[in-house]
Structure formats: structure tokens, C-alpha cells
């Protein structure tokens, strides 16, 4: 029997990743004949509330779900609010997976994060290591809530045969990011800080030593890979979606790329009273490459330039 076209519900559809998927669906033929794609924000339903979650699933009756909605933030937000990072995300994730089960959703692709892996581990990290020890202390609340998605995916498969799986991105950035200098992730916060320092002729303050290393993924690349995972990735165990280990850069190298993109030549100060967080969390993308040896990631310098241009053009509506 001809499979009926997918009706895809994207929770967290108004955020950095949700907007990237929306872009690919609308402008890169990411949508097939007859498919419907619905992009939710918290205004459509507060997913910490089971009643509202059931109501929005009843309204759209999805066949497939890309579950992105979460309380998300950078190192310093998590360090201040580990409880916030756990309670809201535990509720959101349990409500979405249980309601997907109740409404007969065929497949759910949820989004974990490379920060959930054990802090004391060997590198590179791979998908089998998720539960091998405590995560870094800076974000244990968010990390354990995300780990529980993997636990529930396995339980839904064991008990009901459901195909609920997950992807594990490393650090993501791009258009529609959260550019708030207190709560945002490093690249978006520093793009905002550098733009302000440039405009006001003041020094740029980078938090920490600049030595920690990260693998940065451009949101549009991740959007393309998450749509691929929805269509073709059939395992229940999660898959890391990231650039390779060789593309890992130090925070200092990333700051220099932002400064170049914004023509900032002013003074840069490294505030070492601020935490460095995890010094590294190098992740292997070997599993992804076994499926997608062809996939081309946007070079970091180019992606940072495009994000800076987007921020300047959309400064008035950007999250700052
Ligand atoms: P984001 O830009 O902060 O967007 C978060 C989304 O979740 C927004 O659409 C927001 O809706 C929605 N949301 C938040 N609380 C909600 C609630 N109570 N009910 C309903 N919707 C709610 O986040 P992102 O960076 O796109 O992250 C998307 C996913 O990727 C998350 O699961 C995150 O953990 C994961 N991830 C992100 C990164 C990264 O570096 N950004 C790295 C790894 C994994 P409103 O717009 O209405 O607030
Ligand atoms: O993206 P970020 O906030 O989080 O990056 P993590 C933090 C790194 O960037 C630290 C340095 O080494 C900071 O010292 N940094 C320098 C800055 N200047 C700044 C700045 O102005 N703002 C910020 N935020 N950092 C997160 C997890 O870890 O990774 C989240 O906490 C999520 O849960 C995310 O998983 C992907 O990379 O350290």
C-alpha cells in the first residue's frame, strides 16, 4: 500500500535549528509531494503542560515528529540554572514522547547534545559512551534530562516497537540564534559583543582563556542532516551529527574569525575569571560518515561570515 505523505510536526520550530529546517524545507526542496510540515513555537503550545501537548498533537495529527523544543542556553546560563535545565526539559521530553505514542506517531527524531557525554572520558567520544559516567558539572541538569530521551527511546522500542530515535549535534550556530550576551552560546554571544565593540569603539571581552576547543556546526547543515535522519536513519540508538575531529577549533581561533568577519581590529581582552567550562568534548562523526560519506559541511569561516551578515541585517529582530 502506497505510504501516505508524511505530516511532520517540528517542535521548537521557531528556534535556531527549527528555522534552519524550515529554510531547507521551503527553499532546498526538503519537502516531497503531498507532505505537510508544521513548525511550532511555545505560543502554539507550552510543552511542559501535558494538556497543551495533547491538544496541539490532536490539532495536527502528525505522522512524524522532529522534536527540538527545549530550554537551551550557553555555558553560563546552565551554570546558573541547572535545575531549570533539567525540570523543564524532563517535562517537555516526556510529554512529547508519550503523546506521540498515544497518537500513533510513526517516527520521532529528538535532539540530544554532545555536552551530555561523560566529562571524564577518552577521545574522540562516540555514540556508545552516552551513559558511561557523569556529564560536566556546568550542565548536569540539562545533560541528564537529554540522556533520559535515549533511555525512553529504547523503552518505547522494547515495549511497543516504536521508532523513536535521536541525533547528537555538537555546538550549533547560524541565523535566528540566541545572540544574548549572558545566556547565548559562545559564537552568537561573541558576534553580538564584537559588533557592539566595533560600533562603540570599545574593547572586546572574551570569557575564559580562549583555549577550550569545540566542533561548530552551521545550523543549515544540521537542518539538512536532520531531514535525512527523519527520512532514512532507522536505528534506535542515536547518531552524532558533527563536523570531523580535524575541524575542531579553539575559542580563540573562532573569535579571530568573528573579528575578521566584522572587521574588528580593536583591543581583545580574555577574562580568565570567567569559567572555560569543558576544555574539550571532541566527538567522532565516523558513524555519520558510514551513512553519509558524501555530505559536505559549510567551511567554518564562511558560515561565521554568513551568520555575522545575517545578524547585522536582522539586528532589530534578532534575540539579543
Ligand atoms: P533555541 O533557538 O533556543 O529554540 C528553542 C525552541 O524551543 C524554540 O522554538 C522555543 O519556542 C521552543 N521551546 C522552548 N521552551 C518551550 C516550551 N516550554 N514549550 C514549547 N516550545 C518551547 O534552541 P536551538 O538551539 O534551536 O535548539 C534546538 C534543539 O537542539 C534543542 O533540543 C537543543 O537542546 C539542541 N541542541 C542545540 C545546540 C546548540 O548549540 N544550539 C547544540 C546541541 C543540541 P519559542 O521560540 O516560542 O521560545
Ligand atoms: O557555547 P558555550 O556557551 O557552551 O561555549 P559549551 C562556552 C565556551 O566559550 C567556554 C567560551 O569555553 C567559554 O569560556 N566563551 C568565551 C564564551 N566567551 C564567551 C561568551 O561571551 N559567551 C559564552 N557563552 N561562552 C554548551 C552546553 O557547552 O554546549 C550546552 O552548556 C549545549 O548545554 C551547548 O550543549 C552545545 O560549549 O561550553
Amino acid at each position: 500500500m502506497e505510504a501516505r505523505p508524511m505530516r511532520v510536526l517540528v517542535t521548537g520550530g521557531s528556534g535556531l535549528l527549527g528555522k534552519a529546517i524550515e529554510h531547507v524545507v521551503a527553499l532546498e526542496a526538503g519537502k516531497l509531494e503531498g507532505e505537510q510540515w508544521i513548525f511550532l513555537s511555545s505560543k502554539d503550545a507550552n510543552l511542559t503542560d501535558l494538556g497543551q501537548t495533547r491538544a496541539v498533537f490532536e490539532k495536527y495529527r502528525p505522522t512524524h515528529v522532529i522534536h527540538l523544543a527545549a530550554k537551551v542556553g550557553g555555558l553560563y546560563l546552565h551554570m546558573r540554572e541547572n535545575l531549570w535545565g533539567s525540570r523543564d526539559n524532563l517535562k517537555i521530553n516526556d510529554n512529547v514522547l508519550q503523546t506521540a505514542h498515544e497518537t500513533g506517531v510513526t517516527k520521532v527524531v529528538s535532539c540530544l547534545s554532545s555536552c551530555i557525554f561523560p566529562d571524564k572520558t577518552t577521545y574522540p567520544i562516540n555514540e556508545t559512551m552516552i551513559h558511561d559516567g557523569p556529564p560536566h558539572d556546568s550542565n548536569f541538569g540539562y545533560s541528564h534530562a537529554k540522556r533520559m530521551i535515549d533511555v525512553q527511546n529504547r523503552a518505547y522500542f522494547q515495549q511497543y516497537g516504536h521508532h523513536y530515535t535521536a541525533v547528537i549535534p555538537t555546538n550549533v550556530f547560524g541565523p535566528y540564534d540566541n545572540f544574548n550576551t549572558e545566556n547565548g552560546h559562545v559564537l552568537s554571544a561573541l558576534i553580538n559583543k564584537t559588533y557592539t565593540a566595533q560600533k562603540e569603539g570599545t574593547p572586546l571581552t572574551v570569557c575564559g582563556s580562549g583555549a577550550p576547543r569545540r566542533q561548530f556546526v552551521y545550523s543549515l547543515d544540521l537542518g539538512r542532516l536532520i531531514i535525512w535522519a527523519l527520512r532514512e536513519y532507522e536505528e534506535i540508538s542515536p547518531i552524532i551529527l558533527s563536523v570531523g575531529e580535524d575541524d575542531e577549533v579553539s575559542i580563540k581561533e573562532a573569535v579571530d574569525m568573528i573579528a575578521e568577519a566584522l572587521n574588528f581590529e580593536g583591543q581583545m581582552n580574555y577574562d580568565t575569571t570567567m569559567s572555560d567550562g569543558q576544555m574539550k568534548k571532541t566527538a567522532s562523526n565516523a558513524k555519520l560518515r558510514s551513512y553519509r560519506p558524501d555530505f559536505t559541511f559549510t567551511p567554518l569561516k564562511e558560515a561565521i561570515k554568513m551568520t555575522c551578515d545575517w545578524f547585522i541585517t536582522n539586528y532589530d529582530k534578532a534575540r539579543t
Side-chain angles (χ1 to χ4, degrees), residues 197-256:
Q198 171 76 353
K199 268 196 312 182
E200 297 171 0
T202 51
L204 166 65
T205 301
V206 180
C207 306
S209 66
R213 302 183 65 75
R214 299 288 185 269
Q215 289 156 289
F216 293 109
V217 184
Y218 189 44
S219 58
L220 292 181
D221 292 335
L222 197 53
R224 295 162 189 137
L225 286 171
I226 290 177
I227 293 171
W228 162 78
L230 182 74
R231 294 191 189 288
E232 298 178 34
Y233 181 68
E234 291 308 330
E235 295 184 39
I236 303 301
S237 59
I239 184 168
I240 292 170
L241 299 182
S242 175
V243 295
E245 296 145 58
D246 304 345
D247 296 311
E248 186 183 57
V249 296
S250 70
I251 298 297
K252 178 162 183 348
E253 288 168 314
V255 173
D256 292 343

Side-chain angles (χ1 to χ4, degrees), residues 258-277:
I258 293 171
E260 187 182 333
L262 293 171
N263 301 318
F264 176 77
E265 289 159 356
Q267 186 184 330
M268 268 188 211
N269 302 327
Y270 281 82
D271 177 356
T272 52
T273 67
M274 297 288 284
S275 169
D276 272 333

Side-chain angles (χ1 to χ4, degrees), residues 106-177:
T106 307
K107 184 172 180 178
V108 178
V109 176
S110 295
C111 206
L112 311 183
S113 175
S114 62
C115 72
I116 75 173
F117 285 100
D119 180 41
K120 304 206 172 9
T121 183
T122 54
Y123 298 102
I125 294 164
N126 69 51
E127 292 83 353
T128 66
M129 297 170 166
I130 287 184
H131 304 284
D132 290 0
H136 191 261
D137 208 41
S138 63
N139 53 47
F140 64 84
Y142 170 90
S143 296
H144 282 296
K146 287 288 187 182
R147 288 184 183 190
M148 282 307 296
I149 291 179
D150 178 52
V151 171
Q152 292 193 318
N153 284 347
R154 285 188 281 132
Y156 276 112
F157 180 71
Q158 189 186 66
Q159 234 171 289
Y160 298 103
H162 289 332
H163 269 250
Y164 299 171
T165 187
V167 298
I168 313 175
T170 48
N171 289 58
V172 192
F173 71 100
Y176 297 97
D177 206 339

Side-chain angles (χ1 to χ4, degrees), residues 12 14-17 42 45-47 68 70 112 142 146 170 172 319:
S14 53
L16 164 70
L17 255 179
S42 61
N46 176 353
L47 298 173
L68 305 174
L112 311 183
Y142 170 90
K146 287 288 187 182
T170 48
V172 192
R319 285 184 285 171

